[in-house]
Structure formats: C-alpha cells, structure tokens
Amino acid sequence: MQLRNNLPNTPEISTEELTLIDRYWRAANYLSVGQIYLLDNPLLKEPLKPEHIKSRLLGHWGTTPGLNFIYAHLNRMIRNRDLSMIYVCGPGHGGPGMVASTYLEGTYSEIYPDISEDAEGMRKLFRQFSFPGGIPSHAAPETPGSIHEGGELGYALVHAYGAAFDNPNLIVACVVGDGEAETGPLSASWQSNKFLNPARDGAVLPILHLNGYKIANPTLLGRMTDEDIEHLFRGHGYEPFFVEGHEPADMHRQMAAAFETVFDRIRTIQAEARDGTVSEGFPRWPMIVFRSPKGWTGPKEVDGKKVEGFWRAHQVPVSGCREDDKHRKVLEDWMRSYNPDDLFDANGRLKEELRALSPGGERRMGANPHANGGLLRKELIVPDIRDYAVPVKTRGADMVQTTEILGKYLRDVMKRNDANSNFRIFGPDETESNRLGNVFEVTDRVWMEKIEPYDVHLSRDGRVMEVLSEHLCQGWLEGYLLTGRHGLFSCYEAFIHIIDSMFNQHAKWLKVSSELPWRKPVSSLNYLLTSHVWRQDHNGFSHQDPGFLDLVANKKADIVRIYLPPDANTLLWIGDHCLKTWDRVNVIVAGKQPEPQWLTMDEAIRHCEAGIGIWDWAGNEDGAVEPDVVMACAGDVPTLETLAAVCLLRDAIPELSIRVVNVVDLLALQSQDQHPHGLSDEMFDGLFTTDRPVIFAYHGYPYLIHRLTYKRTNHQNIHVRGFIEEGTTTTPFDMTVLNELDRFHLAIEAIERVPGLKDKAGSVIAMLEDKLAEHTRYVREHGEDMPEIRDWKWKTSKTVG
Amino acid sequence: MQLRNNLPNTPEISTEELTLIDRYWRAANYLSVGQIYLLDNPLLKEPLKPEHIKSRLLGHWGTTPGLNFIYAHLNRMIRNRDLSMIYVCGPGHGGPGMVASTYLEGTYSEIYPDISEDAEGMRKLFRQFSFPGGIPSHAAPETPGSIHEGGELGYALVHAYGAAFDNPNLIVACVVGDGEAETGPLSASWQSNKFLNPARDGAVLPILHLNGYKIANPTLLGRMTDEDIEHLFRGHGYEPFFVEGHEPADMHRQMAAAFETVFDRIRTIQAEARDGTVSEGFPRWPMIVFRSPKGWTGPKEVDGKKVEGFWRAHQVPVSGCREDDKHRKVLEDWMRSYNPDDLFDANGRLKEELRALSPGGERRMGANPHANGGLLRKELIVPDIRDYAVPVKTRGADMVQTTEILGKYLRDVMKRNDANSNFRIFGPDETESNRLGNVFEVTDRVWMEKIEPYDVHLSRDGRVMEVLSEHLCQGWLEGYLLTGRHGLFSCYEAFIHIIDSMFNQHAKWLKVSSELPWRKPVSSLNYLLTSHVWRQDHNGFSHQDPGFLDLVANKKADIVRIYLPPDANTLLWIGDHCLKTWDRVNVIVAGKQPEPQWLTMDEAIRHCEAGIGIWDWAGNEDGAVEPDVVMACAGDVPTLETLAAVCLLRDAIPELSIRVVNVVDLLALQSQDQHPHGLSDEMFDGLFTTDRPVIFAYHGYPYLIHRLTYKRTNHQNIHVRGFIEEGTTTTPFDMTVLNELDRFHLAIEAIERVPGLKDKAGSVIAMLEDKLAEHTRYVREHGEDMPEIRDWKWKTSKTVG
C-alpha cells in the first residue's frame, strides 16, 4: 500500500534564494552555538582562548538547528504570502534557536535595546544565555514571539490550537519534537483538529520534528517507519507531507516545496469553508513530518563517539572547551564552519541581503502581537450581576442549584461578547452536568465531526469546548488566554489534579511575564471546580479529592486566588469578579446540587468584597464581650453544616455565645505580608478573637487552614475539620459524618473546646452522639438520610436585610 | 483503499453455544440493572412496587451491557483454550457489570459469603450497590478480579501492559472506553506495544469499546469512520478487527469469530517469538474494535426521548421509578425482557447449563491470582547495603554523586532477582541522567523497535523501562506492582506533578485494599525524585517545583512516607528499606550532583532508623543546658547550607551554643496521633526544645513544615526557609540565595532570632550581608560561584566514629 504523499514538482524556487536561506540558517546556528559557549570573541576575530568560553556550559543544542531551519523557511512563506504567523516551539529547551532567530529579525534588539545588532550586542547576547542574571535556557516569557515555554514537554500543539481558535487570519506553526510526541497530552492533542472550524478559526500547521533521539534513547516516533507514521496521522485526520534527509541544499528545496504545498492547502481549506463550498466534516489539514539529524551541522564525532545524529548531541555536544585544547578546537572548527564573515559585517551586523529575508514589522514572528496577547486583549463585556440575583427573603429556605445561576450569567456574557468572538467555556464533557446548561440557549458545543439529527447542542460554531481530556481543556484555554482572549474552565474538582503540572507551568509563566514590562497583561485563568468532594453520589472515592487548593496556595501570592462561595449570590459576585481580572489564576469551588441560600445580593457583595466576615444573623453574641466560641466555615457544605451545628447549640445551650465567621476568599486568612488579600493581624484577631476556641469547618484537607493561619495570635485555638480522605458512594450527609465535618461533630467539638462547658453539657453531648448513631443506623437501613437531615432548615433568628 | 480486516469464515461455533452465551449475557445484564434499581423483589416474583426501588438511583448503565458481553465471550475463550486471563475494565464506572459477572462465576460469593448464590444473596447484591455501608459504584478494590478502578479515566491500557510484563502466560484483556480514549494518558498508552516482548511477557488484548457517547456528547473515536480508526491503530502498530452492530445473535457470532482469530494470532506471535522464528521488531498485536450501542438492551426511549444508543443511557436511563408508575413500568418491562426465569432457578441460583459457561477455579477472571498480586508476590532479594557504603573518614571531605551509589545497589538488586523476573526500573528517559547508569552493567533499556549498531544499552530483554511519558512510567509500574512484582520510578522532581492524579488514585486504591482482608499486600510504589529543584542548571524555572511532597502529605498517614536523605549512606538505607515495604507510597528526594558526605554507614543506619536526630558532631552545645539555637535541616542542599551556616556562626560567635537536627523521615515531624512515624511530643521537644529558636532549612515549600509541626510546643519559634518560587538557570548556590535558603541568610536569621544577640553581633550580620552582596556581584560577573563557595568544606570539629 502506497500512502505517502509525493510532493509536487518544486514550484519557482530559485537556487539563489535557497542559498540565501541557507546562509540565514547558518547565521541562526552560529548565534545558537555562541550562546551556549561564548563569553567573548563573538565574531571569532581571534582564535578561541579559554577565557572566551563560559565556565559552565549549559543549554540544548540537539533540537536547535532544526528549529532554526524551520524558522528561516517560515519567514520565506510569511514574506511571499504576507501571512500573520506565530511560532510555537515545542522543544522549548531549544531556547538558543528562538533567541537567535528573533535577534536576526531585529525584534530582540527592539525589546532589549542593550542587546544591540552589533558585535557588542552579540557578545552580550551570548553571555546572558543561561547565565546568572541573564536569560533562561528555554524559550520562555522573556523570548519575543513565544507563548510557550516547552520546559515541560507535551503542550505545544494544544497551545497552538488554543491560539488559533477565533483568530481566522492567524497561522500557528507548531513544532512538535519527537520526545514530546511520546507524552500523553501531546498524543491527545492531535485530536484538536476536530474542534477547529476553518470558517472562523485560524490554521495550525503541525511540524513533527523527528530528530530521532531524546536525552539518552531513540524516540518511538523517530524509529517508526514512514508507513506507520503516515497511517497514524491519516488516522488522526491529517494529510502528512514528509521532508527528510540531512544534505542542506536538498533539504532546503524539499522544505520550500513542502511549505508551498501545505500553505496552498491551508488557503484552499479556508477558502472553501469561508465561501460555503464545504460545510460538513473536518478538513484534512496538512502537516509536515520533518526528519533531520539531531545536532545537525554540529560535530560529527567527539572523542571518537558519534554525536551528530545521535542523542549525544542533546545538550552540549563538546564539553570542557575551556580546559581542553582539543575540545576547544572542535568548537572553533564547528563555529567557523558557518563562516561568520559571510554572515555578519565587520561590526557584527547581519548582512543586508540576509536582513532582507525576514518579514517586516509585526509580520516578524518575534513581533506578532498575537504572541503578546495582552496587546490585543479587549475587556470582556459583562452584565450586571444583580440581574441574576437569587432573592433571599428567608435565609436558607429555598434550595437553588448555585452553578445554574452562574450559568445564566455566563449565557449573557457569551451573548454580549459574541461580536468580539473572544470568550469560550472549556470543560471535559461536563458543562451540562455542572449545571451551566443555560449557555446552550445562546451557543453550542463545537463539533466538527458528523452531526446526527438527534444530537443536542452540537454545531460547528459552538463556543463551548468539550472533550474528555482535562489536558486539552487546560491547554486550549492557556493558548486562548495568552493570545488575548477570555475563558472559563469548569471541571470536576478531583480531576483538576490531572492538570496540576500544567497549572504549575502557567503560574510560572504569569509570574515571569508580570515582571517584564513589554509583556502586557492577559486575562486570568479561571477555574470553576464543581461536582466537588462532598457530592459524588454517583462516583465515590475516586472522585473525592479537594487537594488542588493546596497546590495553588504554594504559588506566588500575587498570581493566585481561591474562592469558596457559600451560595449563588456570592458565586455570582466572584464569577463576575474573576472574569474581570488579569494575570492571575482564580480558583472557584462551588457545588452544583440544590443548596440553601444565605445572603441577599447586597450582603453577598459586601461579604465578597471583604472576603471574610461575621454573619451576625447566624450568631448570638451580644457584641459587648467576646463570644464563647467562633464557628468558622469556608465552602458550601461546611457552611451548611456549621449553621446546622449553630442551631443545635443555640437550641440546647441558649446561654452559649456563638460567632459565625464565613470565609469566601480563602487567602484572606494569610498574613498581609504573605498575600495581597491577607487580613491584617488586627482584623484577623477582631474576627477570630485572640483566645476563644475556633471550630473551623473547611471544604478541603484541614491542614491548609493551619498553614495559612499559623502566624495568627489565636492559632493554637483554631480546630479545623475537613476532608480526611474517607470516601465512598454514600449520602451527602453521611460523607460529612465519615469525615467528622457534620453538624453533630462540630457541635460536640464546640462544647468540648469551650472551657468548663463539657461538664455542664454532658447530656447535650450524649444527645448529639445518639444522633450520630441514629443517623448511621438510618442511612444503612434506608439508603438515604433521616428526614430531619433532609428537611432541615435554618431557623431565621433575625429577619433578612 | 481497503484496509479493514475481513474476519475469516466463522469456525465451528454452534448456534446452540451462542444461544447459551446470550442467556449468560442476559443474566449479567439483569443483575446489573438490579444493582442500580432494586432494594427487594430480586427475581421479580411479584410486580415491582415502589418499595422495591431504591430511593436514590445511582450508577452507570451505559457501558455495562458491552462490558458484560465481552466478559461472557472471554469466558468462552478461557474455557476452550485453558487461558490465564484477567479483565481490565477501563470504563470502571461499569462497576455493576464487573460485580454481576464475578457473581455469576461464583467468585463473588466465595469472597463475600454473605452475598450467596440464591435469592437472598441476590437481594443483598442489589441492595449493597452504591448504598451507604455497601460497595462503591465503580470497579474498585472491593471488586474481585480487578486491578483497576477506572473512576479517573485514562489508565486502563497502561495498567494492562504493566500487568503483562514478565507474565508470559498471562493474557490481559483490556476494555478501553471511547470516552477514556480521548484522554492524554490513554492516547499515549497505545505505544506500550513497543515495550512488550512476546518472548518473555504476556499479551495484552485491547478491546476498544466504541459505544459512541460520553456523559452528554458523542465521542471523537465513536464518530470516526472505520477507515480512520483502521489507519490510526495500524499507525500505532496494531492489527484491528472490527465487531460492529446491535442485533445480539449477529454480534455474538461476530465476537466469537473475532476472538477465535485474535487469540490464534496471539498464540502465533508468542510461539514465533519464543521459538526464535522472529527476533526483530515488535509484532503487530491484534486488537478488537467493538461498536455496540450505549445502554444496549436497555429502554429504547423514555418520555419520547432517545435513550439506547445515545448519551442519555450513560447513568440511570429511567429515573424516578419509585414515584412514577410509568417509569417503574419501563423498568419492569426492561428487566423482564431478560426473562429471569430462563436464567435463574426458583431459588435464584444461576441455571446449571449457564454455570457451565464460566471457567473453573483460578481460571475465573474474578479469581485469577494475578488480579490479587499479593498472593503471588515474592520478597525481593536484596544485598547488604554495607557493601556499597561510602567511607566517610573526614566529614564532608569527599564529593560523591549520591544517586550513583544507589545505582550500584540497584544493579545488584536487579542481578539477584533476575531469575524471578520481578523487578524493573521505570523512568522518563532519565535513568542515566539520574546517575543510575550502573544498572546498565547487568541489564538494558527494553526496546522493541529497530536497534541500530551504535545504540547504547537497548535490547529486547532490558528491565529498564524508559519512555518520555511520566504517565506511562507510573501506569506500567502500578500494573506491575498490583500483579505482585517490585519496582522503582526515578523521575525529575518537578515533573512528577504530571502524575499527581495517578498517585492520588493509587493511594486511594491502597487505602481501600488494605482494609480488605482478602486483598494481600503488594509492594510499595517507590519514587526516587532527583534532578531536584535546587539543581536545574540546564533547565531553570520550569524544572523547579518541590510541591509533590505537599500532595503526598495529604494522603492517609499509613499509606505514605517521605524521605530526604542528606547523603549517599542514608540514601542507601532508605532505598533498601523502601524496596522491602508493602502497601505504601514511598517518596525519596535525593540529588544527583556531587555532594559532600556526612555520615558513616553505621551512623546512617542509626539516623535513618530514628528518622530524625541531633548531629552532635555538627553542633557545639555542651549538653548541660539547652542550646541557644537549633539549626534544623531536611534535604541534601538544605543540610549543606545549614552546616555551612553553622561554620560561619561558630567562627564568628564561638560562645553561641548551636544544635544541629537533621530530618530524614519527614513525617516524623507530625504528631504520633497523625502519623505512625510521628515523634511523641516528648521526643520532639527533646530535639527542638520548647522555647529556643529553630531555624529550619527545608527542601520544599516551607509551609509544609508548619503544617506538620503546628501542634508542637515550640511551633511559634520554628522559622522555616525553603523554596519560595524564585527560580531560573543560575548557579546552584545562587538558587539558594534567590530563595534565601543559603548559609548567609540562615546565619543572619539565627543571630536575629536568638534573644539579645542581634545587638551584640551587628558586625557579624554586616559581614554576612557583605558576603551576600559579594556573591551576587561575583556570580553575575563570572557565571560561577565564588571560590570560597565552590571549595567550601566542613571543618571537622570532632573526629568521625
């Protein structure tokens, strides 16, 4: 079976042009090697001496020449066709290549004037790379034109698709390394072509760079036959074109021809979709399979061992060049093989005929504004949250699906920003399940495969992205945000851990970006975590894990926020607030099941603005003296159980003075010097007292509250209950009992912690323990909670308002 | 192009046999529906009444009939060919199916005698499902024959391969749902065929179950054409066979024929590999693509809406059956459509002719000992760690690559257990990079694709598993351990976050398993995290994240251990110890760069057995009174910086009395009531005093130490320094300075925290601050650390021993 595409006869590509491109490529390679090795003597005006060499040789050469080769040829296409293109560099540790190519096109010096286009600038360019106080070794926020770090492999292609959505005139060239191609997230990313609509979205051109080796092994795809590669990518729905070899002149001709062909295909696909010729199915987008030697043009052998075309070229192909004269000679020969005098003038400036090869202005990939998305970001148009407020006349009387209310708000956000095409909702097949289904009144799920007549809310133009891969949801959204748009990721709480490491990397990106004045702010990454630990009625233990918040709290304080709204009106305020922020990661945890509602909209606004507060309608302190006990809560289920515990206590021990504190902005618990939202010690002490017992019911693992509050005066008296890793499929209330977060345990602990009360209230404790036992008997008998639990209502002690 | 396999003419499969299998399948379906719906009236001896129906209807029907269909046909193959087979159920929420099928074959009642094979047992079987105090809704540790939960989708196939390695006589049938097939980890798992050696390993039979829908959407693979599916899996190196339709008789015949064919192929592949006929390349293993309707045999429509063959069949296809007479009628008709009287005798026992369809004894998939790996586990044979001890004559004098020493020990573990074929090392292309390369003296990396003459340490029989996917490493190892073997996963510290969620699920599995007496202990999951946060010279910020430990510390205390060995001898003891444990997750963090060595082997053994201790050779307290300050450390780099700080302090302020405490078993810091390794308060106070300042240099995020120690007497005085999310490519020492964990910051803080010392030692503080400034100038000038940092040695104040 012959599947493989044969490239058409090379169109009008002159040998002269290809020779120029080859020189441009050599210039990029020269600059890449210089960055890894040289402290000085950048133009090799004199023989290399030990003092010209860095004392620590760091960086990754192996992938770099291939990256430079692709960059140079993409420049040709941009110039010839006036394309708007960005370059996603999957092998991000090929940082020297991205830096070299953006330096050659002039963008680097525009952003960093100190790195000028002359010998002195080149010296600094070399020196700063992977050097203390300089730039990191990977493509990074510091790198012009980059929206992708690539240090953690797996996310290049999904970032590329995220960038292309709703950018009809953008082409995202995405280099996928064959190491990266082994990862799970990248393996799934190929499916993104089934979510890209050529009529409204841009194009992604995947360039699978098979250089055959990882750190110390061949790669799986590198060793696959072309036939298997062809099958695999046809199976994924692509049309692969092969560029293979090592002889530069031949490779230039192949690559130029392949690019002519694939950019023609892209133009045709887009034209047919946009003029309506084709309106069914997803197109067979072209892709390039680029086989070139690892460490191409570098030393063939060092000390008798194979280097070029092998994994030994992965990092620094020849080491010890400062100490070892022979190795230094290898380096010098290697660098001179690029013939720097043929590339740069006497002042170190790229020769004019080569300068002419890069596009101009914002067409340069290092200067394309899509890669600095904050430049293009438009504020989201949001409605007034008061229009969606749940009326609360009697506290806790009505049961409302909290996330459903947010869904109505999101529907209108979707509608109001439709003309700007800059808002999408992402989730692993759970938008409806998470009760956000109202958005389907104004949009659909995007679906490019076949649509059946009985399908529901699927269309080619949908703005809800659903796929059963948290990695894809996260990666698409990152790419979408980094190119200047807005979005929300709604996810089952437990499974957000699947993207822990992607979250880490995005938080790192934001931290570094926010320190670079030329990087403009991008919209925050907003998570709505629902179907949370306390309500996994269908699924049980595997779906019960609230630990993502612990991970988030480890990141730089000015990047992260954690919100635990107790009801619908607070969720509305928080959702609205998060959508308006930038350069942050906002995590909202809110249940999707019917829950009692506590605060009016006005109260919710005040409460959320403060982030934390006393619910005086719930407590019974007289205000003159400190209460006997503080019942604190964070999260919807803990709030419910705390209020139920307060009722039990107030009924049984009316003389007990109780304060209820609710926390909605979790990091307010931290000190002001640790987090910008942190309360001052005075305010904290004002809420939690300096010496009264605090019974704190918390949504997640209890330890987080301790580590947030350990510096507070009253910390010794803060007793936290939360999820202690006891789970299964059982009733919602039984889940709280198994983890001792239920009303009865809370009330018992309050009694036990108030000095002197335990002895007096022994009969109350006995009553509460009986209730616990009665619950357990009942639930095991009936499979549901006791009526008094199911029908429990807050006893309004003060009227609302 | 016609690729699709045409099945051969059906071999001798009698219609009578298929009719029996159909009845068996109906019995499994009947029992599955019963579990979701019924409290009583299990055999439908009377019409269904409201009180027969559960009050909360929970579970997942959609995938279940397909799972049952496959199970019944696998039974046929096991019987006919006397196969040893286990069943990995990717759609783990099809729990009712796994329970039903193991009940029908008798294993369920053998393990849980209370669930007997009669009407009363069936009633209990139904009632317990997803019921408080009963069993979870998913395939779970409670489910006989399961090594896979499936609640978090993505890991079925990688678990299956892990189980098959080194089990030449085992066949692992693995059902992959089309929802799961969208995930990243599953997408990458197909590549596992390139690591399975048919000569020494068992076989994996992937059965891709395309029922077309997820929770509320079609699936990507479900909507793909057969041609694309064929391409995709041929590209992955498989030979796919299609079984498609919905008419049961036809489907039975197709499935029986397909299984005959694929099991023939498996036999041929294994025979050719084992007799040496084929010794190159990886075989084209067969797989099944099974297209059947979601919710097959369930209600076609409910309330006029399509259910069977659509996503509405995903969970409970008809709800409200207790309250709604019409819905109850739908349920009753549905259950009666299976004709229970034709399946079970009057006592509720499966009829004899159907009982005969399941294999016997340990051939039953619910009773195969491989799925309860502890039954088969052999202790690992380990050498004496003293044979690998690093001699320490002068403390800190010699620089040793700590992990390299462990590598020698691991080499000999590998050698000693070679005959048992039950130990493997897993890692994402980093075994050599992590300095464990000595293992390659006795084994290789397994590689089934082409091997070139210049390749290094690749072979078909290697016992080191390297692939650039942490997901695959983790999943293979889990499958390997759960089937009774041993292993170690060595990983870059930052990227272990990629499998956070898999770790969570495995920890949950261990927690539940350890509560089930019939589940025998399996070997611990051992992580060696190296290339850690403090030594990312080549890579920088993206590679700097020590947060995995925070995640681990959230899990049940009896499941997890965290070790931070400060040198090679301690690492040897810990590595050896971890390999001998069971039912735990052990996390070891140790650097791979040359580091000073502190303890003799005898001291290391004593120190590690205690988990924490005073290094009296490092401090200068006289023992009669409490020291002025405690300098505590956990982790190799923090230990080095602490000892350097102690030197600075002892030189500058000889009268300052210092105690040095080193923590190697991190969870010893917790209270005894929180962790089995936790120190008593007395012992803790004995080490850390009750009132002296403690300057604690810690490897990871400092907050973890606070949350482990917040209950301790002296917690207010514990001042922790660790990684505060400042990173880049710089020198190792500069990394500690950026995070204020370096010797100078530690010494300054010690002076500031000792009451009254700051005023007296102002000049010392000024000297230390000058040193910091000098460092920063030097490192930015030279790109390496000052000689006094690079050449620093501990001043031995007491002789060793």
Side-chain angles (χ1 to χ4, degrees), chain B residues 420-441:
Chain B
N420 287 335
S421 298
N422 64 346
F423 179 63
R424 294 198 185 205
I425 294 175
F426 302 75
D429 191 29
E430 293 156 6
T431 307
E432 188 81 68
S433 161
N434 288 337
R435 308 290 187 264
L436 303 178
N438 280 297
V439 300
F440 294 124
E441 294 172 22

Side-chain angles (χ1 to χ4, degrees), chain A residues 127 137 182 214-215 217 223 228 284 429 455 466 468 500 508 538 544-545 555 726 781, chain B residues 127 137 182 214-215 217 223 228 284 429 455 466 468 500 508 538 544-545 555-556 781:
Chain A
R127 182 188 173 85
S137 60
E182 294 179 10
K214 300 173 290 214
I215 304 179
N217 270 307
R223 287 273 160 105
D228 277 356
R284 304 273 152 175
D429 191 28
D455 280 329
E466 293 199 343
L468 215 160
D500 274 3
K508 285 172 184 285
H538 274 273
Q544 291 161 336
D545 189 303
K555 295 295 139 189
E726 293 293 338
E781 169 79 20
Chain B
R127 181 188 175 85
S137 60
E182 294 179 9
K214 300 173 291 213
I215 303 180
N217 270 307
R223 287 273 161 105
D228 277 356
R284 304 272 152 176
D429 191 29
D455 279 329
E466 293 200 343
L468 215 160
D500 275 4
K508 285 172 185 284
H538 275 272
Q544 290 161 337
D545 190 303
K555 295 295 139 189
K556 276 284 173 190
E781 169 79 20

Side-chain angles (χ1 to χ4, degrees), chain A residues 307-344:
Chain A
V307 175
E308 192 199 42
F310 200 53
W311 50 255
R312 288 194 192 91
H314 181 72
Q315 290 183 338
V316 177
V318 50
S319 58
C321 300
R322 195 167 174 147
E323 306 79 15
D324 184 324
D325 294 343
K326 281 192 192 142
H327 281 199
R328 195 163 58 255
K329 178 70 166 50
V330 172
L331 171 63
E332 183 159 352
D333 290 348
W334 171 18
M335 292 195 73
R336 290 197 189 280
S337 75
Y338 298 121
N339 198 359
D341 295 340
D342 182 41
L343 312 172
F344 303 97

Side-chain angles (χ1 to χ4, degrees), chain A residues 516-669:
Chain A
L516 298 167
W518 63 274
R519 285 256 174 212
K520 299 306 171 199
V522 295
S523 296
S524 299
L525 200 169
N526 300 307
Y527 295 103
L528 174 65
L529 305 186
T530 179
S531 300
H532 64 48
V533 54
W534 302 107
R535 294 304 301 265
Q536 284 302 333
D537 311 12
H538 274 273
N539 295 297
F541 199 34
S542 62
H543 288 50
Q544 291 161 336
D545 189 303
F548 187 65
L549 303 184
D550 299 78
L551 190 87
V552 171
N554 275 345
K555 295 295 139 189
K556 275 286 173 190
D558 45 352
I559 302 297
V560 293
R561 301 288 185 275
I562 297 172
Y563 297 103
L564 293 156
D567 67 2
N569 288 335
T570 48
L571 176 62
L572 274 173
W573 187 92
I574 289 163
D576 178 70
H577 174 74
C578 291
L579 286 178
K580 294 171 181 164
T581 65
W582 56 87
D583 280 354
R584 287 186 200 156
V585 178
N586 296 306
V587 184
I588 310 170
V589 186
K592 68 184 186 185
Q593 304 292 348
E595 292 172 317
Q597 301 296 308
W598 308 113
L599 301 187
T600 67
M601 196 74 229
D602 283 339
E603 290 170 336
I605 292 170
R606 281 196 302 276
H607 186 50
C608 292
E609 282 175 349
I612 185 171
I614 296 173
W615 282 6
D616 56 2
W617 53 266
N620 65 344
E621 56 181 328
D622 68 3
V625 292
E626 296 275 46
D628 296 317
V629 63
V630 177
M631 304 292 284
C633 45
D636 46 17
V637 166
T639 298
L640 169 61
E641 291 306 312
T642 294
L643 292 175
V646 169
C647 278
L648 288 165
L649 289 167
R650 287 173 60 178
D651 278 353
I653 316 174
E655 67 276 19
L656 184 70
S657 162
I658 303 172
R659 172 180 297 173
V660 174
V661 173
N662 183 270
V663 185
V664 64
D665 179 351
L666 195 70
L667 300 178
L669 294 174

